[in-house]
Amino acid sequence: FTNSPYTVLAADTELLQTQDPPYKFQSYDESSIFIKQGGSLILFNLLLLPLLVLFYFIRTKTKIGQSKIVAYIEGTLRWGFVLRSFLASSLPFIVSIFLQMRTINFEEEYLTLSSSLAIFALAYFLVMTLFILFLMYTTPPRKFKEEKTRKVYGTLVVNPEIGNSPAKYYNILLLLRNVLFAAMLVFVETVPLAQILSLVVFNILFVFYIHKKVRFEHPKETRKTIITETLLIPIGIMVALLLVKDQSENYYQILGWAITGVIAIIFVNEIIFVIIVEIETIRKLWGKAKKYLQDRKAKKQMKYVKDKIDSQATTLKTIPTLKTDSPMLKSRKLKKRPVSIYSPTNLVRPHK
């Protein structure tokens, strides 16, 4: 890509030839491409397995393993983090493998090492993919609702309530799309129309699959994913239209601006979803903080009332016990006094 006008690019083909492609593809015909491009990826993925074994040994064979921290790390490493890293790096990983496969060479030690690593990485990729498929197929739906299973294999499940729905294969289809994209990019570079149309057809089927079968835990994420994947279809079609030769400059400019506009809509759609999720997260945190403060205030009030009652009880206990045999409290006997028959208290008057 350059800042030159379209007319200059069309007129001066030598300028096009001097533009350097991305670094990954500058030496894609070299026989040691995998060590340069995919060596760090396979090394990182392989280092996770010894870490998993190490923490499993610590948790089961040592006293330190009884702590919650070690149990949490071991549970996270037990395929959870391994699967996350595998899925996240699948595209550059498989591109590096395919680039090496097209120029495989065993003539020298260094080239043999690079080619052998690529073959091993391809076997590792196939084993991990088959393992994920087997796991998704054999795990009962109720297991995905358990907290322990969600911590270990939560990366693979878009929604624990999906049951036996085909939605549980969503991440597998994303992985397969990355494989298709890498294969088209590396092996079909001379036929760009085939590259584009294959991905367009896959995206049409993928959008239909999401619309009919997939429901994420967050309802707005389902809508966001459908919008994003749907807009990728016209982008692919417009990129294919750019392959048409001998058109006016306005033709290419209009298509270029249209592609840019659709990409901007996708970007805004993603940003809006992120903002909505962040706002909901802040609201949840504020609600938890507010509830915590209310509970703390209620506990303080209860403690105050309890302390008040305890202090009054203590005060009552400290008052000296009253003696009932005290002279002041002894009941006095009433003296009998003669009452006149003419006393106002006498209700019976004598007859004369």
Side-chain angles (χ1 to χ4, degrees):
F1 300 99
T2 64
N3 296 324
S4 303
Y6 290 98
T7 53
V8 175
L9 288 175
D12 193 357
T13 56
E14 294 182 359
L15 181 62
L16 285 174
Q17 296 175 358
T18 59
Q19 303 307 308
D20 294 330
Y23 174 73
K24 183 182 288 293
F25 299 99
Q26 287 182 21
S27 56
Y28 68 88
D29 283 328
E30 290 184 7
S31 299
S32 59
I33 185 68
F34 184 76
I35 290 181
K36 295 179 180 180
Q37 306 298 341
S40 59
L41 295 174
I42 186 65
L43 180 64
F44 178 74
N45 280 273
L46 291 179
L47 283 177
L48 293 175
L49 298 179
L51 281 176
L52 172 61
V53 175
L54 174 63
F55 274 94
Y56 179 78
F57 175 80
I58 293 174
R59 189 180 66 84
T60 56
K61 303 296 183 181
T62 63
K63 294 181 179 180
I64 304 176
Q66 304 302 321
S67 65
K68 293 183 179 180
I69 297 177
V70 175
Y72 176 78
I73 295 175
E74 191 269 337
T76 304
L77 283 174
R78 198 184 340 142
W79 298 114
F81 192 67
V82 175
L83 292 176
R84 286 188 184 95
S85 63
F86 175 75
L87 293 173
S89 62
S90 61
L91 181 57
F93 188 61
I94 198 65
V95 166
S96 300
I97 294 174
F98 287 165
L99 286 173
Q100 180 63 61
M101 287 300 173
R102 63 177 289 171
T103 56
I104 196 165
N105 194 324
F106 296 97
E107 293 180 358
E108 299 178 5
E109 294 181 356
Y110 184 72
L111 301 180
T112 301
L113 176 62
S114 182
S115 299
S116 301
L117 277 176
I119 295 172
F120 176 78
L122 180 61
Y124 172 79
F125 186 89
L126 292 174
V127 169
M128 289 293 292
T129 305
L130 291 175
F131 169 77
I132 295 172
L133 279 170
F134 176 78
L135 179 69
M136 300 302 296
Y137 181 76
T138 58
T139 304
R142 55 182 176 80
K143 291 287 290 183
F144 288 118
K145 299 180 183 180
E146 298 178 2
E147 187 65 24
K148 184 178 179 180
T149 306
R150 293 187 67 182
K151 285 182 179 179
V152 178
Y153 303 118
T155 304
L156 300 176
V157 185
V158 297
N159 189 341
E161 304 293 335
I162 57 179
N164 281 322
S165 169
K168 63 183 180 180
Y169 299 108
Y170 172 80
N171 285 305
I172 300 297
L173 291 177
L174 283 180
L175 183 64
L176 293 178
R177 183 170 67 176
N178 290 340
V179 174
L180 175 63
F181 180 80
M184 293 293 106
L185 188 67
V186 176
F187 298 114
V188 200
E189 62 176 347
T190 57
V191 190
L193 187 61
Q195 294 177 322
I196 297 168
L197 292 182
S198 62
L199 292 173
V200 168
V201 171
F202 186 94
N203 257 54
I204 292 173
L205 298 175
F206 192 55
V207 169
F208 180 79
Y209 160 76
I210 296 174
H211 179 68
K212 292 294 184 180
K213 302 297 182 181
V214 179
R215 291 297 176 269
F216 292 87
E217 287 189 87
H218 199 295
K220 290 184 174 59
E221 186 174 3
T222 304
R223 184 182 63 185
K224 182 266 299 182
T225 305
I226 292 175
I227 293 174
T228 299
E229 297 296 337
T230 303
L231 290 177
L232 289 177
I233 298 172
I235 289 178
I237 295 173
M238 287 186 287
V239 170
L241 292 175
L242 286 174
L243 299 175
V244 179
K245 298 180 180 180
D246 300 328
Q247 298 295 322
S248 65
E249 181 181 346
N250 290 333
Y251 173 83
Y252 298 108
Q253 285 184 344
I254 292 171
L255 285 177
W257 281 112
I259 293 172
T260 304
V262 177
I263 293 175
I265 293 173
I266 294 175
F267 179 76
V268 171
N269 181 46
E270 297 285 338
I271 292 296
I272 290 174
F273 174 72
V274 171
I275 293 173
I276 290 173
V277 172
E278 291 298 326
I279 291 174
E280 291 180 355
T281 303
I282 292 172
R283 285 179 178 176
K284 288 180 181 179
L285 292 175
W286 170 246
K288 290 181 179 180
K290 190 176 180 180
K291 186 176 182 300
Y292 171 77
L293 294 174
Q294 290 175 348
D295 292 343
R296 188 175 179 182
K297 184 178 179 180
K299 287 180 180 180
K300 283 185 176 181
Q301 291 176 347
M302 291 294 294
K303 187 176 181 300
Y304 174 78
V305 173
K306 186 176 179 298
D307 292 342
K308 199 72 174 176
I309 294 173
D310 292 343
S311 64
Q312 290 179 356
T314 305
T315 304
L316 291 174
K317 288 180 180 179
T318 56
I319 297 176
T321 306
L322 298 176
K323 296 181 179 180
T324 54
D325 58 348
S326 174
M328 297 295 295
L329 297 177
K330 283 183 179 180
S331 59
R332 298 178 180 178
K333 293 183 180 181
L334 296 176
K335 293 181 180 181
K336 293 181 180 180
R337 293 181 298 174
V339 180
S340 172
I341 59 175
Y342 298 105
S343 174
T345 59
N346 195 353
L347 300 178
V348 182
R349 299 182 65 85
H351 298 282
K352 291 181 181 182

